[in-house]
Amino acid sequence: MPLFSLDFQSRLPIYEQLYQNVVRMASLGVLQPGEQLPTVRSLARELGVNPNTVQKAYQMLERDGILNSVTGRGSYIAENLSAVEQRRKDACQRLCQAVDEAVNAGVDKQQILSLVQSRLSEENAANHGG
């Protein structure tokens, strides 16, 4: 089973999907700090995409502090994943704001919970090929 899953039908660019995959896997601990990622060429070949697409995702990950690249040695998950933690905090803050907006708009608690559960079910199905 491949490490990363891409949806070629999605409107989201492939490099962005790859970026999100790495961030998610680092957040969940699937990818550990210091762990080496596949080379750009090997991952591009495995995913059936252009190496420039993988390179762009790796550059974005490095820019955001998720990856460290060592010339001639490869790309590694950053030892200090404070960038991942910051993304998690930002996401939680946005979620809280969205809930506040929904409550202020008159959406009841049960509908909010139902929407969140439905969205999580969709996300889970998408991530597990279901």
Side-chain angles (χ1 to χ4, degrees), residues 20-70:
Q20 289 180 2
N21 268 268
V22 173
V23 170
R24 178 181 295 127
M25 295 179 94
S27 297
L28 296 172
V30 175
L31 294 172
Q32 295 292 316
E35 186 172 339
Q36 186 172 11
L37 288 180
T39 65
V40 168
R41 282 192 181 97
S42 68
L43 185 56
R45 193 170 33 252
E46 178 185 329
L47 297 173
V49 299
N50 188 305
N52 292 333
T53 301
V54 176
Q55 183 64 38
K56 185 169 186 174
Y58 277 22
Q59 286 172 342
M60 290 171 55
L61 289 159
E62 189 169 9
R63 174 200 70 202
D64 292 348
I66 310 298
L67 278 188
N68 292 322
S69 293
V70 181

Coordinates of all heavy atoms in Angstrom, one line a residue, residues 20-70:
Q20 N -0.2 18.1 2.0 CA -1.1 17.8 3.1 C -1.0 16.4 3.6 O -1.1 16.1 4.8 CB -2.6 18.0 2.6 CG -2.9 19.5 2.4 CD -4.3 19.7 2.0 OE1 -5.1 18.8 1.8 NE2 -4.7 21.0 1.7
N21 N -0.7 15.4 2.8 CA -0.4 14.0 3.2 C 0.8 14.0 4.2 O 0.7 13.3 5.2 CB -0.1 13.2 2.0 CG -1.3 12.5 1.4 OD1 -1.6 11.3 1.7 ND2 -1.9 13.1 0.4
V22 N 1.9 14.7 3.8 CA 3.1 14.6 4.7 C 2.8 15.3 6.0 O 3.1 14.8 7.1 CB 4.3 15.3 4.0 CG1 5.5 15.4 4.9 CG2 4.7 14.4 2.8
V23 N 2.1 16.5 6.0 CA 1.8 17.2 7.2 C 0.9 16.3 8.1 O 1.1 16.2 9.3 CB 1.1 18.5 6.9 CG1 0.5 19.1 8.2 CG2 2.1 19.5 6.3
R24 N -0.1 15.7 7.5 CA -1.0 14.8 8.3 C -0.3 13.6 8.9 O -0.4 13.3 10.1 CB -2.2 14.3 7.4 CG -3.1 13.4 8.1 CD -4.2 12.8 7.3 NE -5.1 13.9 6.8 CZ -5.4 14.1 5.5 NH1 -4.9 13.3 4.6 NH2 -6.2 15.1 5.2
M25 N 0.6 13.0 8.1 CA 1.3 11.8 8.6 C 2.3 12.2 9.7 O 2.5 11.4 10.6 CB 1.9 11.1 7.5 CG 0.8 10.5 6.5 SD 1.5 9.6 5.2 CE 1.4 8.0 5.8
A26 N 2.9 13.4 9.6 CA 3.8 13.9 10.6 C 3.0 14.2 11.9 O 3.5 13.9 13.0 CB 4.6 15.1 10.1
S27 N 1.9 14.8 11.7 CA 1.0 15.2 12.8 C 0.6 13.9 13.6 O 0.5 13.9 14.8 CB -0.2 15.9 12.4 OG 0.1 17.1 11.8
L28 N 0.2 12.9 12.9 CA -0.2 11.6 13.5 C 0.9 10.7 14.0 O 0.6 9.7 14.6 CB -1.1 10.8 12.5 CG -2.4 11.5 12.0 CD1 -3.0 10.7 10.9 CD2 -3.3 11.7 13.2
G29 N 2.1 11.1 13.7 CA 3.3 10.3 14.2 C 3.6 9.1 13.3 O 4.4 8.3 13.6
V30 N 2.9 9.0 12.1 CA 3.2 8.0 11.1 C 4.6 8.2 10.6 O 5.4 7.3 10.4 CB 2.2 7.9 10.0 CG1 2.6 6.9 8.9 CG2 0.8 7.6 10.6
L31 N 4.9 9.5 10.3 CA 6.3 9.9 9.9 C 6.9 10.5 11.1 O 6.4 11.5 11.7 CB 6.2 10.9 8.8 CG 5.7 10.4 7.4 CD1 5.5 11.6 6.4 CD2 6.6 9.4 6.8
Q32 N 8.0 9.9 11.5 CA 8.7 10.3 12.8 C 9.8 11.4 12.5 O 10.4 11.4 11.4 CB 9.4 9.1 13.4 CG 8.4 8.1 13.9 CD 7.6 8.6 15.1 OE1 8.2 9.2 16.0 NE2 6.3 8.3 15.1
P33 N 10.0 12.3 13.5 CA 11.1 13.2 13.3 C 12.4 12.5 12.9 O 12.8 11.5 13.5 CB 11.2 13.9 14.7 CG 9.8 13.8 15.2 CD 9.3 12.5 14.7
G34 N 13.1 13.0 12.0 CA 14.4 12.4 11.5 C 14.2 11.4 10.5 O 15.2 10.9 9.9
E35 N 13.0 11.0 10.2 CA 12.7 9.9 9.2 C 12.9 10.4 7.8 O 12.5 11.5 7.5 CB 11.3 9.4 9.3 CG 11.0 8.2 8.5 CD 9.6 7.6 8.7 OE1 9.1 7.8 9.8 OE2 9.1 6.9 7.8
Q36 N 13.6 9.7 7.0 CA 13.9 10.1 5.6 C 12.7 9.8 4.7 O 12.1 8.7 4.8 CB 15.1 9.4 5.1 CG 15.6 9.9 3.7 CD 16.9 9.3 3.2 OE1 17.4 8.4 3.9 NE2 17.4 9.9 2.2
L37 N 12.4 10.8 3.9 CA 11.3 10.6 2.9 C 12.0 10.0 1.6 O 13.2 10.2 1.4 CB 10.7 11.9 2.6 CG 9.8 12.4 3.7 CD1 9.1 13.8 3.3 CD2 8.7 11.5 4.0
P38 N 11.1 9.4 0.7 CA 11.7 8.9 -0.5 C 12.3 10.1 -1.3 O 11.9 11.2 -1.2 CB 10.4 8.4 -1.2 CG 9.4 8.2 -0.2 CD 9.7 9.2 0.9
T39 N 13.2 9.8 -2.2 CA 13.8 10.8 -3.1 C 12.7 11.3 -4.0 O 11.6 10.7 -4.2 CB 14.9 10.2 -4.0 OG1 14.3 9.3 -4.9 CG2 16.0 9.6 -3.1
V40 N 12.9 12.5 -4.5 CA 11.9 13.1 -5.4 C 11.6 12.2 -6.6 O 10.4 11.9 -6.9 CB 12.4 14.5 -5.9 CG1 11.6 15.0 -7.1 CG2 12.5 15.5 -4.8
R41 N 12.6 11.7 -7.2 CA 12.4 10.8 -8.4 C 11.7 9.5 -8.0 O 10.8 9.1 -8.8 CB 13.8 10.5 -9.0 CG 14.3 11.6 -9.9 CD 15.5 11.2 -10.7 NE 16.0 12.3 -11.5 CZ 17.1 13.0 -11.1 NH1 17.7 12.7 -10.0 NH2 17.5 14.0 -11.9
S42 N 12.1 8.9 -6.9 CA 11.5 7.6 -6.6 C 10.0 7.8 -6.2 O 9.1 7.0 -6.6 CB 12.2 6.9 -5.5 OG 12.1 7.5 -4.3
L43 N 9.7 8.9 -5.5 CA 8.3 9.1 -5.1 C 7.5 9.5 -6.3 O 6.4 9.1 -6.5 CB 8.2 10.2 -4.0 CG 6.8 10.5 -3.5 CD1 6.2 9.2 -2.9 CD2 6.9 11.6 -2.4
A44 N 8.0 10.3 -7.2 CA 7.3 10.7 -8.4 C 7.0 9.4 -9.3 O 5.9 9.3 -9.8 CB 8.2 11.7 -9.3
R45 N 8.0 8.5 -9.4 CA 7.8 7.3 -10.1 C 6.7 6.4 -9.4 O 5.8 5.9 -10.1 CB 9.1 6.5 -10.2 CG 9.1 5.4 -11.1 CD 10.5 4.8 -11.4 NE 11.4 4.8 -10.2 CZ 12.5 5.6 -10.1 NH1 12.8 6.4 -11.1 NH2 13.2 5.5 -9.0
E46 N 6.8 6.3 -8.1 CA 5.8 5.5 -7.3 C 4.4 6.1 -7.5 O 3.4 5.3 -7.6 CB 6.1 5.5 -5.9 CG 5.2 4.8 -5.0 CD 5.5 4.9 -3.5 OE1 6.7 5.0 -3.2 OE2 4.6 4.8 -2.7
L47 N 4.2 7.4 -7.5 CA 2.9 8.1 -7.6 C 2.4 8.3 -9.0 O 1.3 8.6 -9.2 CB 2.9 9.4 -6.8 CG 3.2 9.3 -5.3 CD1 3.4 10.7 -4.8 CD2 2.1 8.6 -4.6
G48 N 3.4 8.1 -10.0 CA 3.0 8.4 -11.4 C 2.8 9.8 -11.7 O 1.9 10.2 -12.4
V49 N 3.6 10.7 -11.0 CA 3.5 12.1 -11.3 C 4.9 12.7 -11.7 O 5.9 12.0 -11.6 CB 3.1 12.9 -10.0 CG1 1.7 12.4 -9.6 CG2 4.0 12.8 -8.9
N50 N 4.9 13.9 -12.2 CA 6.1 14.6 -12.6 C 7.0 14.9 -11.4 O 6.5 15.3 -10.4 CB 5.7 15.9 -13.3 CG 6.9 16.6 -14.0 OD1 7.9 16.8 -13.4 ND2 6.7 16.8 -15.3
P51 N 8.3 14.6 -11.5 CA 9.2 14.9 -10.4 C 9.1 16.4 -10.0 O 9.3 16.7 -8.8 CB 10.6 14.6 -11.0 CG 10.4 13.6 -12.0 CD 9.0 14.0 -12.6
N52 N 8.8 17.3 -10.9 CA 8.7 18.7 -10.5 C 7.5 18.9 -9.5 O 7.6 19.8 -8.6 CB 8.4 19.6 -11.7 CG 9.6 19.7 -12.6 OD1 10.8 19.5 -12.2 ND2 9.4 19.9 -13.9
T53 N 6.5 18.1 -9.6 CA 5.4 18.2 -8.7 C 5.8 17.8 -7.3 O 5.5 18.5 -6.3 CB 4.2 17.2 -9.2 OG1 3.8 17.6 -10.5 CG2 3.0 17.2 -8.2
V54 N 6.6 16.7 -7.2 CA 7.1 16.3 -5.9 C 8.0 17.3 -5.3 O 8.0 17.6 -4.1 CB 7.7 14.9 -6.0 CG1 8.4 14.5 -4.6 CG2 6.7 13.8 -6.4
Q55 N 8.9 17.8 -6.2 CA 9.9 18.8 -5.8 C 9.2 20.0 -5.2 O 9.6 20.6 -4.2 CB 10.8 19.2 -6.9 CG 11.9 20.2 -6.6 CD 12.9 19.6 -5.6 OE1 13.2 18.5 -5.7 NE2 13.3 20.5 -4.6
K56 N 8.1 20.5 -5.8 CA 7.4 21.6 -5.3 C 6.8 21.4 -3.9 O 6.9 22.2 -3.1 CB 6.2 22.0 -6.3 CG 5.5 23.3 -5.9 CD 4.6 23.8 -7.1 CE 4.0 25.1 -6.7 NZ 3.3 25.7 -7.8
A57 N 6.2 20.2 -3.7 CA 5.7 19.8 -2.4 C 6.8 19.8 -1.4 O 6.7 20.3 -0.3 CB 5.0 18.5 -2.5
Y58 N 7.9 19.2 -1.7 CA 9.1 19.1 -0.8 C 9.6 20.5 -0.4 O 9.9 20.8 0.7 CB 10.2 18.3 -1.4 CG 10.0 16.8 -1.2 CD1 8.8 16.2 -0.9 CD2 11.1 16.0 -1.3 CE1 8.7 14.8 -0.8 CE2 11.0 14.6 -1.1 CZ 9.8 14.0 -0.9 OH 9.7 12.7 -0.7
Q59 N 9.6 21.4 -1.4 CA 10.1 22.8 -1.2 C 9.1 23.5 -0.2 O 9.5 24.2 0.7 CB 10.2 23.6 -2.5 CG 11.4 23.2 -3.3 CD 11.4 23.8 -4.7 OE1 10.4 24.3 -5.2 NE2 12.6 23.8 -5.3
M60 N 7.8 23.3 -0.4 CA 6.8 23.9 0.5 C 7.0 23.4 1.9 O 6.9 24.1 2.9 CB 5.4 23.7 -0.1 CG 5.1 24.4 -1.3 SD 3.5 23.9 -2.1 CE 2.3 24.1 -0.7
L61 N 7.2 22.1 2.0 CA 7.3 21.4 3.3 C 8.6 22.0 4.0 O 8.6 22.2 5.2 CB 7.4 19.9 3.1 CG 6.1 19.3 2.8 CD1 6.3 17.9 2.1 CD2 5.2 19.2 4.0
E62 N 9.7 22.2 3.2 CA 10.9 22.7 3.8 C 10.7 24.1 4.2 O 11.1 24.5 5.3 CB 12.0 22.6 2.8 CG 13.4 22.9 3.4 CD 14.5 22.6 2.5 OE1 14.4 22.2 1.4 OE2 15.7 22.7 3.0
R63 N 10.0 24.9 3.4 CA 9.7 26.3 3.7 C 9.0 26.4 5.0 O 9.2 27.3 5.8 CB 8.9 26.9 2.6 CG 8.4 28.4 2.8 CD 7.3 28.7 1.9 NE 6.1 28.0 2.3 CZ 5.1 27.7 1.5 NH1 5.1 28.2 0.3 NH2 4.0 27.1 1.9
D64 N 8.0 25.5 5.3 CA 7.2 25.6 6.4 C 7.7 24.8 7.6 O 7.1 24.7 8.7 CB 5.8 25.0 6.1 CG 5.0 25.9 5.1 OD1 5.5 27.1 4.9 OD2 4.0 25.5 4.6
G65 N 9.0 24.4 7.5 CA 9.6 23.7 8.7 C 9.2 22.3 9.0 O 9.5 21.8 10.0
I66 N 8.6 21.7 8.0 CA 8.2 20.3 8.2 C 9.3 19.3 7.8 O 9.5 18.3 8.3 CB 6.9 19.9 7.4 CG1 5.8 21.0 7.6 CG2 6.4 18.5 7.6 CD1 5.3 21.1 9.0
L67 N 10.0 19.7 6.7 CA 11.1 18.9 6.2 C 12.4 19.7 6.3 O 12.5 20.9 6.2 CB 10.9 18.7 4.7 CG 10.0 17.6 4.2 CD1 10.2 17.4 2.7 CD2 10.3 16.3 4.9
N68 N 13.5 18.9 6.4 CA 14.9 19.4 6.3 C 15.5 18.7 5.1 O 15.5 17.4 5.1 CB 15.7 19.2 7.5 CG 15.2 20.1 8.7 OD1 14.8 21.2 8.5 ND2 15.2 19.5 9.9
S69 N 16.1 19.4 4.2 CA 16.7 18.7 3.0 C 18.2 18.9 3.2 O 18.7 20.0 3.5 CB 16.3 19.3 1.7 OG 14.9 19.0 1.5
V70 N 19.0 17.8 3.0 CA 20.4 17.9 3.0 C 20.9 17.5 1.6 O 20.6 16.4 1.1 CB 20.9 16.8 4.0 CG1 22.5 16.9 4.1 CG2 20.3 17.1 5.4

